[in-house]
Amino acid sequence: MSVQDYDAVVALWQACPGVGLSSADSQESIARYLARNPGLSFVAENEEQLMGAVLSGHDGRRGYVHHLAVHPAYRRQGMGRALGGRCLAALADAGIQKCHLYVFAANQGGVAFWQNTGWTLRDDLFMMSYYTNNE
Ligand SMILES: CC(C)(COP(=O)(O)OP(=O)(O)OC[C@H]1O[C@@H](n2cnc3c(N)ncnc32)[C@H](O)[C@@H]1OP(=O)(O)O)[C@@H](O)C(=O)NCCC(=O)NCCS
């Protein structure tokens, strides 16, 4: 993924209720994320349209996967598994052996997808957030 993909990627994310968008998904923020994590985020596209997209990156210790989305017309064909796998392989190449992601508890399809592609659902953690600017 490059920043040139931004408009098409955001349009896909906006069409996918399981993807929670925020001010962290502005063009400026995504450009910064891609610059800090080169070669770790991917799009899948054909001649006509964007079929899928995913962000990933790491902080030097652990990897993180965000906003995996596949266009509804192309689901259940292995594209989500392939995009997630590309992230994990690229992160492993960068020396990252363990990755985390966030998924809304109400997103049953998303949870099932991650479990069926090898991810472990943790019940020993809570997520906590601090809002500096109420964002
Ligand atoms: C989740 C999502 C990315 C899956 O993409 P996909 O290309 O359809 O996934 P795959 O075809 O690679 O599926 C791999 C396996 O995951 C499981 N799976 C995928 N979608 C599933 C669903 N909705 N319910 C249950 N299991 C599912 C299946 O076991 C599937 O294998 P199978 O088709 O051979 O049975 C896609 O449904 C999507 O974009 N959803 C909206 C956005 C979203 O919720 N993203 C997750 C954010 S955390």
Side-chain angles (χ1 to χ4, degrees), residues 5 7-13 42-46 48-53 69-71 74 79:
D5 297 310
D7 289 344
V9 168
V10 165
L12 174 64
W13 286 341
F42 301 95
V43 292
E45 55 195 353
N46 61 21
E48 285 140 40
Q49 66 184 140
L50 187 80
M51 300 185 290
V70 173
H71 187 290
Y74 301 99
M79 196 171 298

PDB file of all heavy atoms in Angstrom, residues 5 7-13 42-46 48-53 69-71 74 79:
ATOM      1  N   ASP A   5      -2.900   5.110  -2.635  1.00  0.00           N
ATOM      2  CA  ASP A   5      -4.072   4.236  -2.530  1.00  0.00           C
ATOM      3  C   ASP A   5      -5.106   4.787  -1.544  1.00  0.00           C
ATOM      4  O   ASP A   5      -6.176   4.181  -1.373  1.00  0.00           O
ATOM      5  CB  ASP A   5      -3.638   2.835  -2.047  1.00  0.00           C
ATOM      6  CG  ASP A   5      -2.707   2.145  -3.020  1.00  0.00           C
ATOM      7  OD1 ASP A   5      -3.039   2.105  -4.220  1.00  0.00           O
ATOM      8  OD2 ASP A   5      -1.655   1.643  -2.577  1.00  0.00           O
ATOM      9  N   ASP A   7      -7.461   7.158  -1.035  1.00  0.00           N
ATOM     10  CA  ASP A   7      -8.895   7.407  -1.267  1.00  0.00           C
ATOM     11  C   ASP A   7      -9.660   6.101  -1.479  1.00  0.00           C
ATOM     12  O   ASP A   7     -10.750   5.913  -0.914  1.00  0.00           O
ATOM     13  CB  ASP A   7      -9.103   8.329  -2.471  1.00  0.00           C
ATOM     14  CG  ASP A   7      -8.674   9.761  -2.184  1.00  0.00           C
ATOM     15  OD1 ASP A   7      -8.510  10.106  -0.993  1.00  0.00           O
ATOM     16  OD2 ASP A   7      -8.489  10.532  -3.150  1.00  0.00           O
ATOM     17  N   ALA A   8      -9.105   5.204  -2.285  1.00  0.00           N
ATOM     18  CA  ALA A   8      -9.787   3.926  -2.550  1.00  0.00           C
ATOM     19  C   ALA A   8      -9.831   3.068  -1.286  1.00  0.00           C
ATOM     20  O   ALA A   8     -10.842   2.411  -1.006  1.00  0.00           O
ATOM     21  CB  ALA A   8      -9.082   3.182  -3.681  1.00  0.00           C
ATOM     22  N   VAL A   9      -8.753   3.075  -0.516  1.00  0.00           N
ATOM     23  CA  VAL A   9      -8.707   2.254   0.700  1.00  0.00           C
ATOM     24  C   VAL A   9      -9.724   2.770   1.724  1.00  0.00           C
ATOM     25  O   VAL A   9     -10.469   1.985   2.330  1.00  0.00           O
ATOM     26  CB  VAL A   9      -7.274   2.241   1.279  1.00  0.00           C
ATOM     27  CG1 VAL A   9      -7.266   1.661   2.680  1.00  0.00           C
ATOM     28  CG2 VAL A   9      -6.342   1.444   0.368  1.00  0.00           C
ATOM     29  N   VAL A  10      -9.790   4.080   1.907  1.00  0.00           N
ATOM     30  CA  VAL A  10     -10.748   4.620   2.881  1.00  0.00           C
ATOM     31  C   VAL A  10     -12.181   4.345   2.431  1.00  0.00           C
ATOM     32  O   VAL A  10     -13.051   4.034   3.261  1.00  0.00           O
ATOM     33  CB  VAL A  10     -10.504   6.124   3.108  1.00  0.00           C
ATOM     34  CG1 VAL A  10     -11.680   6.768   3.818  1.00  0.00           C
ATOM     35  CG2 VAL A  10      -9.255   6.310   3.954  1.00  0.00           C
ATOM     36  N   ALA A  11     -12.441   4.424   1.129  1.00  0.00           N
ATOM     37  CA  ALA A  11     -13.791   4.113   0.635  1.00  0.00           C
ATOM     38  C   ALA A  11     -14.152   2.664   0.952  1.00  0.00           C
ATOM     39  O   ALA A  11     -15.284   2.371   1.358  1.00  0.00           O
ATOM     40  CB  ALA A  11     -13.872   4.377  -0.867  1.00  0.00           C
ATOM     41  N   LEU A  12     -13.196   1.745   0.803  1.00  0.00           N
ATOM     42  CA  LEU A  12     -13.452   0.344   1.160  1.00  0.00           C
ATOM     43  C   LEU A  12     -13.703   0.216   2.664  1.00  0.00           C
ATOM     44  O   LEU A  12     -14.681  -0.420   3.080  1.00  0.00           O
ATOM     45  CB  LEU A  12     -12.260  -0.529   0.740  1.00  0.00           C
ATOM     46  CG  LEU A  12     -12.324  -1.995   1.173  1.00  0.00           C
ATOM     47  CD1 LEU A  12     -13.498  -2.720   0.514  1.00  0.00           C
ATOM     48  CD2 LEU A  12     -11.012  -2.718   0.848  1.00  0.00           C
ATOM     49  N   TRP A  13     -12.846   0.805   3.469  1.00  0.00           N
ATOM     50  CA  TRP A  13     -13.021   0.714   4.926  1.00  0.00           C
ATOM     51  C   TRP A  13     -14.383   1.279   5.343  1.00  0.00           C
ATOM     52  O   TRP A  13     -15.069   0.708   6.193  1.00  0.00           O
ATOM     53  CB  TRP A  13     -11.911   1.476   5.642  1.00  0.00           C
ATOM     54  CG  TRP A  13     -10.567   0.789   5.616  1.00  0.00           C
ATOM     55  CD1 TRP A  13     -10.308  -0.534   5.369  1.00  0.00           C
ATOM     56  CD2 TRP A  13      -9.290   1.411   5.849  1.00  0.00           C
ATOM     57  NE1 TRP A  13      -8.959  -0.769   5.451  1.00  0.00           N
ATOM     58  CE2 TRP A  13      -8.314   0.397   5.735  1.00  0.00           C
ATOM     59  CE3 TRP A  13      -8.884   2.713   6.146  1.00  0.00           C
ATOM     60  CZ2 TRP A  13      -6.958   0.654   5.921  1.00  0.00           C
ATOM     61  CZ3 TRP A  13      -7.535   2.971   6.330  1.00  0.00           C
ATOM     62  CH2 TRP A  13      -6.582   1.948   6.216  1.00  0.00           C
ATOM     63  N   PHE A  42      -0.650  -3.684   2.736  1.00  0.00           N
ATOM     64  CA  PHE A  42      -0.893  -4.242   1.401  1.00  0.00           C
ATOM     65  C   PHE A  42      -2.279  -3.917   0.878  1.00  0.00           C
ATOM     66  O   PHE A  42      -3.230  -3.768   1.650  1.00  0.00           O
ATOM     67  CB  PHE A  42      -0.713  -5.765   1.439  1.00  0.00           C
ATOM     68  CG  PHE A  42       0.661  -6.177   1.882  1.00  0.00           C
ATOM     69  CD1 PHE A  42       0.913  -6.490   3.209  1.00  0.00           C
ATOM     70  CD2 PHE A  42       1.713  -6.208   0.976  1.00  0.00           C
ATOM     71  CE1 PHE A  42       2.201  -6.836   3.628  1.00  0.00           C
ATOM     72  CE2 PHE A  42       2.991  -6.553   1.380  1.00  0.00           C
ATOM     73  CZ  PHE A  42       3.226  -6.874   2.705  1.00  0.00           C
ATOM     74  N   VAL A  43      -2.371  -3.848  -0.461  1.00  0.00           N
ATOM     75  CA  VAL A  43      -3.675  -3.800  -1.131  1.00  0.00           C
ATOM     76  C   VAL A  43      -3.725  -4.964  -2.117  1.00  0.00           C
ATOM     77  O   VAL A  43      -2.691  -5.455  -2.579  1.00  0.00           O
ATOM     78  CB  VAL A  43      -3.907  -2.473  -1.893  1.00  0.00           C
ATOM     79  CG1 VAL A  43      -4.047  -1.307  -0.934  1.00  0.00           C
ATOM     80  CG2 VAL A  43      -2.795  -2.208  -2.909  1.00  0.00           C
ATOM     81  N   ALA A  44      -4.951  -5.405  -2.413  1.00  0.00           N
ATOM     82  CA  ALA A  44      -5.196  -6.374  -3.488  1.00  0.00           C
ATOM     83  C   ALA A  44      -6.095  -5.663  -4.481  1.00  0.00           C
ATOM     84  O   ALA A  44      -7.124  -5.094  -4.097  1.00  0.00           O
ATOM     85  CB  ALA A  44      -5.884  -7.618  -2.933  1.00  0.00           C
ATOM     86  N   GLU A  45      -5.705  -5.651  -5.751  1.00  0.00           N
ATOM     87  CA  GLU A  45      -6.511  -4.927  -6.737  1.00  0.00           C
ATOM     88  C   GLU A  45      -6.505  -5.658  -8.068  1.00  0.00           C
ATOM     89  O   GLU A  45      -5.559  -6.372  -8.395  1.00  0.00           O
ATOM     90  CB  GLU A  45      -6.009  -3.483  -6.900  1.00  0.00           C
ATOM     91  CG  GLU A  45      -4.549  -3.357  -7.251  1.00  0.00           C
ATOM     92  CD  GLU A  45      -4.021  -1.936  -7.054  1.00  0.00           C
ATOM     93  OE1 GLU A  45      -4.807  -1.025  -6.781  1.00  0.00           O
ATOM     94  OE2 GLU A  45      -2.799  -1.756  -7.179  1.00  0.00           O
ATOM     95  N   ASN A  46      -7.589  -5.487  -8.822  1.00  0.00           N
ATOM     96  CA  ASN A  46      -7.607  -5.946 -10.210  1.00  0.00           C
ATOM     97  C   ASN A  46      -7.680  -4.708 -11.099  1.00  0.00           C
ATOM     98  O   ASN A  46      -7.505  -3.579 -10.606  1.00  0.00           O
ATOM     99  CB  ASN A  46      -8.758  -6.932 -10.450  1.00  0.00           C
ATOM    100  CG  ASN A  46     -10.118  -6.313 -10.195  1.00  0.00           C
ATOM    101  OD1 ASN A  46     -10.271  -5.088 -10.210  1.00  0.00           O
ATOM    102  ND2 ASN A  46     -11.114  -7.149  -9.964  1.00  0.00           N
ATOM    103  N   GLU A  48     -10.108  -3.229 -12.344  1.00  0.00           N
ATOM    104  CA  GLU A  48     -11.273  -2.385 -12.128  1.00  0.00           C
ATOM    105  C   GLU A  48     -11.327  -1.726 -10.759  1.00  0.00           C
ATOM    106  O   GLU A  48     -11.735  -0.582 -10.619  1.00  0.00           O
ATOM    107  CB  GLU A  48     -12.548  -3.213 -12.306  1.00  0.00           C
ATOM    108  CG  GLU A  48     -12.877  -3.514 -13.751  1.00  0.00           C
ATOM    109  CD  GLU A  48     -13.388  -4.939 -13.932  1.00  0.00           C
ATOM    110  OE1 GLU A  48     -14.158  -5.391 -13.068  1.00  0.00           O
ATOM    111  OE2 GLU A  48     -13.001  -5.592 -14.909  1.00  0.00           O
ATOM    112  N   GLN A  49     -10.922  -2.447  -9.735  1.00  0.00           N
ATOM    113  CA  GLN A  49     -11.138  -1.877  -8.411  1.00  0.00           C
ATOM    114  C   GLN A  49     -10.223  -2.475  -7.355  1.00  0.00           C
ATOM    115  O   GLN A  49      -9.583  -3.505  -7.569  1.00  0.00           O
ATOM    116  CB  GLN A  49     -12.594  -2.073  -7.979  1.00  0.00           C
ATOM    117  CG  GLN A  49     -12.961  -3.518  -7.779  1.00  0.00           C
ATOM    118  CD  GLN A  49     -14.428  -3.692  -7.439  1.00  0.00           C
ATOM    119  OE1 GLN A  49     -15.069  -4.607  -7.916  1.00  0.00           O
ATOM    120  NE2 GLN A  49     -14.971  -2.823  -6.626  1.00  0.00           N
ATOM    121  N   LEU A  50     -10.244  -1.796  -6.208  1.00  0.00           N
ATOM    122  CA  LEU A  50      -9.548  -2.303  -5.034  1.00  0.00           C
ATOM    123  C   LEU A  50     -10.376  -3.441  -4.446  1.00  0.00           C
ATOM    124  O   LEU A  50     -11.569  -3.278  -4.191  1.00  0.00           O
ATOM    125  CB  LEU A  50      -9.427  -1.173  -4.014  1.00  0.00           C
ATOM    126  CG  LEU A  50      -8.589  -1.481  -2.787  1.00  0.00           C
ATOM    127  CD1 LEU A  50      -7.119  -1.336  -3.125  1.00  0.00           C
ATOM    128  CD2 LEU A  50      -8.956  -0.558  -1.657  1.00  0.00           C
ATOM    129  N   MET A  51      -9.739  -4.584  -4.228  1.00  0.00           N
ATOM    130  CA  MET A  51     -10.472  -5.740  -3.682  1.00  0.00           C
ATOM    131  C   MET A  51     -10.230  -5.920  -2.197  1.00  0.00           C
ATOM    132  O   MET A  51     -11.065  -6.503  -1.499  1.00  0.00           O
ATOM    133  CB  MET A  51     -10.043  -7.012  -4.430  1.00  0.00           C
ATOM    134  CG  MET A  51     -10.329  -6.965  -5.928  1.00  0.00           C
ATOM    135  SD  MET A  51      -9.941  -8.531  -6.739  1.00  0.00           S
ATOM    136  CE  MET A  51      -8.153  -8.536  -6.631  1.00  0.00           C
ATOM    137  N   GLY A  52      -9.103  -5.454  -1.695  1.00  0.00           N
ATOM    138  CA  GLY A  52      -8.813  -5.644  -0.281  1.00  0.00           C
ATOM    139  C   GLY A  52      -7.674  -4.760   0.172  1.00  0.00           C
ATOM    140  O   GLY A  52      -6.911  -4.230  -0.657  1.00  0.00           O
ATOM    141  N   ALA A  53      -7.575  -4.585   1.483  1.00  0.00           N
ATOM    142  CA  ALA A  53      -6.518  -3.738   2.047  1.00  0.00           C
ATOM    143  C   ALA A  53      -6.261  -4.130   3.490  1.00  0.00           C
ATOM    144  O   ALA A  53      -7.162  -4.631   4.184  1.00  0.00           O
ATOM    145  CB  ALA A  53      -6.931  -2.265   1.969  1.00  0.00           C
ATOM    146  N   ALA A  69      -9.704  -5.504   5.368  1.00  0.00           N
ATOM    147  CA  ALA A  69     -11.028  -5.482   4.732  1.00  0.00           C
ATOM    148  C   ALA A  69     -10.937  -6.062   3.335  1.00  0.00           C
ATOM    149  O   ALA A  69      -9.993  -5.784   2.589  1.00  0.00           O
ATOM    150  CB  ALA A  69     -11.566  -4.048   4.668  1.00  0.00           C
ATOM    151  N   VAL A  70     -11.927  -6.873   2.988  1.00  0.00           N
ATOM    152  CA  VAL A  70     -12.067  -7.411   1.633  1.00  0.00           C
ATOM    153  C   VAL A  70     -13.422  -6.948   1.108  1.00  0.00           C
ATOM    154  O   VAL A  70     -14.447  -7.054   1.815  1.00  0.00           O
ATOM    155  CB  VAL A  70     -11.961  -8.954   1.637  1.00  0.00           C
ATOM    156  CG1 VAL A  70     -12.291  -9.523   0.255  1.00  0.00           C
ATOM    157  CG2 VAL A  70     -10.560  -9.383   2.074  1.00  0.00           C
ATOM    158  N   HIS A  71     -13.426  -6.412  -0.113  1.00  0.00           N
ATOM    159  CA  HIS A  71     -14.671  -5.974  -0.750  1.00  0.00           C
ATOM    160  C   HIS A  71     -15.669  -7.128  -0.734  1.00  0.00           C
ATOM    161  O   HIS A  71     -15.302  -8.279  -1.025  1.00  0.00           O
ATOM    162  CB  HIS A  71     -14.364  -5.544  -2.188  1.00  0.00           C
ATOM    163  CG  HIS A  71     -15.504  -4.923  -2.906  1.00  0.00           C
ATOM    164  ND1 HIS A  71     -16.614  -5.640  -3.314  1.00  0.00           N
ATOM    165  CD2 HIS A  71     -15.712  -3.649  -3.302  1.00  0.00           C
ATOM    166  CE1 HIS A  71     -17.448  -4.831  -3.922  1.00  0.00           C
ATOM    167  NE2 HIS A  71     -16.934  -3.621  -3.924  1.00  0.00           N
ATOM    168  N   TYR A  74     -15.676 -10.060  -3.158  1.00  0.00           N
ATOM    169  CA  TYR A  74     -14.513 -10.955  -3.288  1.00  0.00           C
ATOM    170  C   TYR A  74     -14.264 -11.767  -2.018  1.00  0.00           C
ATOM    171  O   TYR A  74     -13.193 -12.346  -1.865  1.00  0.00           O
ATOM    172  CB  TYR A  74     -13.268 -10.136  -3.643  1.00  0.00           C
ATOM    173  CG  TYR A  74     -13.428  -9.354  -4.931  1.00  0.00           C
ATOM    174  CD1 TYR A  74     -13.760  -8.008  -4.902  1.00  0.00           C
ATOM    175  CD2 TYR A  74     -13.287  -9.985  -6.168  1.00  0.00           C
ATOM    176  CE1 TYR A  74     -13.937  -7.294  -6.077  1.00  0.00           C
ATOM    177  CE2 TYR A  74     -13.459  -9.275  -7.343  1.00  0.00           C
ATOM    178  CZ  TYR A  74     -13.785  -7.929  -7.294  1.00  0.00           C
ATOM    179  OH  TYR A  74     -13.966  -7.233  -8.457  1.00  0.00           O
ATOM    180  N   MET A  79      -8.870 -14.277   0.138  1.00  0.00           N
ATOM    181  CA  MET A  79      -8.119 -13.022   0.028  1.00  0.00           C
ATOM    182  C   MET A  79      -7.762 -12.453   1.398  1.00  0.00           C
ATOM    183  O   MET A  79      -6.654 -11.933   1.605  1.00  0.00           O
ATOM    184  CB  MET A  79      -8.924 -12.007  -0.787  1.00  0.00           C
ATOM    185  CG  MET A  79      -8.082 -10.847  -1.259  1.00  0.00           C
ATOM    186  SD  MET A  79      -8.971  -9.831  -2.418  1.00  0.00           S
ATOM    187  CE  MET A  79      -9.249 -10.992  -3.741  1.00  0.00           C
TER     188      MET A  79
END
